[in-house]
Amino acid sequence: MAFRPLSYALGAEVLGIDLSKDISAATFDEVHQAFLRYGILLFRDQHLTREQHIAFSRRFGELDCNERSPDTDPQYPELIIITTRPRADGTPSESRYTGRLWHSDLCHTLTPAMGSLLRCIERPDVGGDTLFSNMYLAYDTLSDGMKKLLEGLHGIHARGRQYDTMSTERVAFLKGLRPVAQPAVRVHPETGRKTLYIGEKVKQFVGFTPEESRPLLDFLNRHATRPEFVYRHQWRKHDIVMWDNRCTQHQALGDFDMTQIRHMERTTIKGTPSGYLIEAA
Ligand code: OGA
Ligand code: MN
């Protein structure tokens, strides 16, 4: 097994591993250490069944089955399905716009995701790329003054999905959820390093008006997604990309022909509790 860095900022490709086979504890430990070091791991040419995708993901911890993705197969509650494939009745899938804002998975819940493993089942001819950014670097490169300012702040994370594409029941379900406040700076529980924890789903800071929050949020989002902090992944069929949600953010790009099929399946590893519920505005 070997690791090939994907960009200066983050990510490595794992070479010489077949995830459909049993993985020894020693090999798994090496993969886990690389995951902590690089933030993103890419496994190419992995011809896996859904069961094997789920089984490998479980090695990292308990899987989250709570995110109710509208296009998920009830037989596989562990898999979030993100697809442009229309539903059986010919209507468009609801999941086709998933992830179009910079975010960290399950940031709007009290147990944000530890990791996610996204598998490319089908891809369009061109595009459908995903961007990832390194939130350690984003934090480390702030001034001491800004670090101090952020230390006590909590961002309010809202759902960022496009309501106009959804059934009224689903909108009601989403709107019934109270927003969650998360610290703007978090400590990674395994590496002990500080990370910036914001994103485009944050609408305001606790104790500030949306108008007051906007300039700071705009600055932080622009800063955190500077090209030198970003890796852009061009998907190939049978890729699995695994990311650490505690120190990275990601964004799905709409840079493709949406009449073509882009079909992705994701498992989500549960994280540790973070943040608190606030009253809906
Ligand atoms: C996700 C997500 C990105 C993509 O699976 O969490 O945001 O490129 N998807 O589909
Ligand atoms: Mn996501």
Side-chain angles (χ1 to χ4, degrees):
M1 190 166 54
F3 301 94
R4 182 185 70 83
L6 292 170
S7 74
Y8 181 69
L10 75 170
E13 180 178 354
V14 188
L15 304 162
I17 191 168
D18 179 348
L19 301 183
S20 70
K21 301 267 157 56
D22 275 343
I23 291 173
S24 70
T27 301
F28 179 77
D29 189 50
E30 245 189 283
V31 171
H32 184 228
Q33 290 308 319
F35 172 67
L36 295 178
R37 171 165 173 207
Y38 293 105
I40 294 176
L41 295 179
L42 164 64
F43 304 90
R44 290 218 125 124
D45 302 313
Q46 300 294 329
H47 296 255
L48 303 186
T49 62
R50 284 176 157 177
E51 284 77 8
Q52 287 168 333
H53 177 190
I54 292 166
F56 175 64
S57 307
R58 279 221 174 97
R59 296 286 297 266
F60 290 88
E62 200 187 332
L63 300 187
D64 191 293
C65 302
N66 293 318
E67 193 179 9
R68 298 205 208 156
S69 173
D71 297 310
T72 293
D73 180 341
Q75 268 195 298
Y76 293 91
E78 301 89 349
L79 292 178
I80 298 281
I81 296 177
I82 298 164
T83 189
T84 57
R85 184 174 283 119
R87 290 187 275 206
D89 64 3
T91 57
S93 68
E94 277 189 21
S95 60
R96 68 197 189 286
Y97 293 120
T98 298
R100 292 287 173 88
L101 297 173
W102 278 103
H103 67 283
S104 173
D105 290 331
L106 305 185
C107 59
H108 53 273
T109 74
L110 294 173
T111 44
M114 178 274 230
S116 302
L117 291 95
L118 187 62
R119 189 160 76 106
C120 179
I121 312 286
E122 258 184 89
R123 47 151 289 174
D125 292 338
V126 287
D129 299 351
T130 307
L131 302 180
F132 296 90
S133 82
N134 180 331
M135 301 302 277
Y136 290 132
L137 275 179
Y139 178 78
D140 290 344
T141 51
L142 293 169
S143 66
D144 289 344
M146 182 57 79
K147 286 177 182 159
K148 208 165 160 194
L149 175 71
L150 292 178
E151 213 50 60
L153 291 189
H154 284 75
I156 301 176
H157 292 245
R159 290 262 175 175
R161 299 265 179 88
Q162 336 229 331
Y163 287 131
D164 60 343
T165 65
M166 289 185 186
S167 65
T168 46
E169 291 88 336
R170 189 155 163 76
V171 172
F173 168 73
L174 292 177
K175 289 209 162 151
L177 292 174
R178 284 162 67 191
V180 166
Q182 296 286 359
V185 177
R186 296 203 313 172
V187 175
H188 190 294
E190 290 185 85
T191 65
R193 290 179 65 187
K194 284 186 177 171
T195 76
L196 186 59
Y197 196 74
I198 44 107
E200 289 180 320
K201 294 188 178 189
V202 179
K203 300 301 172 206
Q204 69 187 90
F205 292 106
V206 173
F208 292 75
T209 66
E211 203 182 5
E212 288 167 340
S213 308
R214 182 54 33 213
L216 183 52
L217 287 169
D218 285 346
F219 163 73
L220 292 171
N221 284 322
R222 202 166 58 243
H223 171 76
T225 60
R226 278 160 51 173
E228 60 266 43
F229 301 158
V230 168
Y231 165 65
R232 177 172 183 148
H233 187 64
Q234 288 186 290
W235 292 95
R236 284 192 215 153
K237 199 167 165 168
H238 307 304
D239 279 356
I240 292 190
V241 173
M242 170 173 196
W243 61 84
D244 187 337
N245 283 291
R246 303 163 297 184
C247 59
T248 67
Q249 284 197 99
H250 59 280
Q251 178 187 44
L253 298 179
D255 62 339
F256 68 105
D257 177 352
M258 296 263 305
T259 65
Q260 295 185 4
I261 302 298
R262 180 183 191 269
H263 183 104
M264 314 290 283
E265 298 190 357
R266 189 186 98 203
T267 51
T268 315
I269 303 154
K270 267 199 180 146
T272 45
S274 175
Y276 59 90
L277 284 174
I278 62 163
E279 293 304 324

